[in-house]
Amino acid sequence: MRAARLIKLVLLLQSRPSMTAAELAAELEVSERTITRDALALSEAGVPVYADRGRAGGYRLVGGYRTRLTGLARGEAEALFLSGLPGALRDMGLADAASAARLKVSAALLPSLRDAPEAVGRRFHLDAPAWFQEPRTPELLAPVAEAVWGDRPVRARYRRGDGEVERELQPYGLVLKAGVWYLCARAGDAFRTYRVDRFAGVELLGEPFERDPDFDLAAFWSERSAEFARSLLRAEVVLRLTEAGARQLPYVTDRAAAGEALAAGVAEADGRLRVVLPVEDEEVAFGQLLGLGPEAEVVAPDGLRERFAAAARAMAERYR
């Protein structure tokens, strides 16, 4: 424990011109007296740590001293490439590893660790856009992340409906989508997606499995999330759009569905574009399309058209 702290102290001083005892104590989570003893021990070991006395004093390395410690641990090297995602690191229990890795960032990676960026990219993917919900850390995220890092198969109990099912999975990667964690795993011969907060139990099994070298986490997630979004669109709305309405449509509803509807649209004599738009249901469509105002006219279904007409009358009365 002390040896690791001494190394970290040297790396801190190497990264900055000077640090006070208070600053070092805060970084290393020890007392200032411990910092004094550690600095003395380093000096006795031949590391040129110099203490400047006085109110503006502190500790520094003299003579351009640079440590020859170049060895990042495997976990530190991989965590380094996630260091821009502090929340995700904390949730997966990797914050300490990332902290240590950042101190070693100026050191050259060993040849055996040069695949770290690729290894991380194949296992973790951040899908950033928010869907207006508070992020919550699943209780079993840490063991799931451990299985992903180590290519360890798991036996998992998964809540589905009112019951639970048990599955043996090969965890390939984690995706954080708008504060919700998803596990992409192989179950039998197929790759599937599971919400981590629905796991009721996770048990690591046996030896590491052999990953499919052709599996691309980002591509897999993109394909499955698009399929999921499209599966929600179970109804259709017929619209007449002005030129401005056609430009705005992708910003108020599903972008892919809007793009397909616009591409298949038919121009009418008055210059408007008639489109058939897939939507989740009439309630959702009303909230989305209301934002287009007079740039869109609902042609069908009749119930939704009447609802827009009633809303238009109410707004006209309100602003009269």
Side-chain angles (χ1 to χ4, degrees):
M1 184 71 178
R2 189 191 186 201
R5 188 176 70 243
L6 292 174
I7 292 172
K8 194 171 183 180
L9 192 155
V10 173
L11 292 169
L12 284 167
L13 294 177
Q14 184 173 295
S15 65
R16 306 178 195 180
S18 177
M19 294 184 71
T20 67
E23 290 171 336
L24 288 167
E27 287 278 358
L28 299 175
E29 298 180 346
V30 295
S31 67
E32 292 185 35
R33 181 173 296 180
T34 298
I35 295 298
T36 301
R37 289 198 298 264
D38 286 351
L40 179 60
L42 287 170
S43 181
E44 291 175 348
V47 178
V49 178
Y50 182 79
D52 291 313
R53 305 298 179 184
R55 294 181 59 186
Y59 292 93
R60 59 187 175 88
L61 295 174
V62 298
Y65 178 84
R66 304 287 296 179
T67 177
R68 296 186 180 182
L69 296 170
T70 58
L72 281 171
R74 164 61 82 178
E76 293 172 347
E78 291 175 336
L80 178 62
F81 296 98
L82 282 171
S83 59
L85 313 176
L89 284 168
R90 182 182 60 253
D91 292 346
M92 289 186 291
L94 298 172
D96 289 343
S99 175
R102 282 191 293 269
L103 289 175
K104 300 177 182 179
V105 69
S106 60
L109 285 175
L110 296 173
S112 61
L113 301 179
R114 287 175 186 161
D115 66 334
E118 180 184 359
V120 169
R122 291 164 64 183
R123 288 169 171 80
F124 294 91
H125 171 62
L126 177 67
D127 191 347
W131 283 339
F132 309 105
Q133 60 187 21
E134 289 296 323
R136 296 179 180 177
T137 303
E139 182 179 351
L140 296 175
L141 176 60
V144 171
E146 181 182 352
V148 170
W149 281 122
D151 295 337
R152 294 281 300 281
V154 300
R155 181 180 293 113
R157 289 184 290 111
Y158 191 74
R159 289 186 289 269
R160 179 175 293 171
D162 295 330
E164 292 182 1
V165 295
E166 187 172 281
R167 295 283 187 271
E168 289 196 8
L169 307 174
Q170 294 180 345
Y172 267 66
L174 283 166
V175 176
L176 177 60
K177 170 68 175 181
V180 180
W181 286 93
Y182 296 87
L183 173 68
C184 302
R186 171 175 268 171
D189 294 330
F191 286 98
R192 303 185 186 280
T193 304
Y194 302 86
R195 280 185 59 142
V196 178
D197 59 6
R198 291 183 183 168
F199 283 117
V202 174
E203 176 189 356
L204 274 67
L205 304 175
E207 295 297 317
F209 62 88
E210 185 175 346
R211 292 176 65 92
D212 181 347
D214 295 327
F215 178 79
D216 184 322
L217 178 60
F220 172 80
W221 175 256
S222 178
E223 178 183 345
R224 290 303 172 89
S225 58
E227 289 176 1
F228 174 73
R230 195 57 191 265
S231 71
L232 297 176
L233 307 180
R234 302 185 181 95
E236 289 184 342
V237 174
V238 181
L239 304 172
R240 289 193 184 100
L241 299 169
T242 65
E243 185 177 342
R247 288 197 305 269
Q248 296 169 20
L249 185 64
Y251 299 98
V252 300
T253 186
D254 182 85
R255 184 176 293 271
E260 293 175 8
L262 292 170
V266 176
E268 297 195 333
D270 62 359
R272 291 186 295 175
L273 186 68
R274 186 185 184 98
V275 302
V276 179
L277 177 70
V279 295
E280 189 169 341
D281 55 39
E282 289 188 20
E283 183 69 28
V284 172
F286 178 75
Q288 293 175 332
L289 299 175
L290 196 61
L292 295 180
E295 308 303 332
E297 176 191 354
V298 174
V299 178
D302 291 340
L304 185 60
R305 180 180 174 85
E306 285 300 320
R307 190 169 178 179
F308 270 89
R313 289 192 294 269
M315 292 182 68
E317 180 66 22
R318 180 67 54 85
Y319 288 99
R320 189 175 60 176

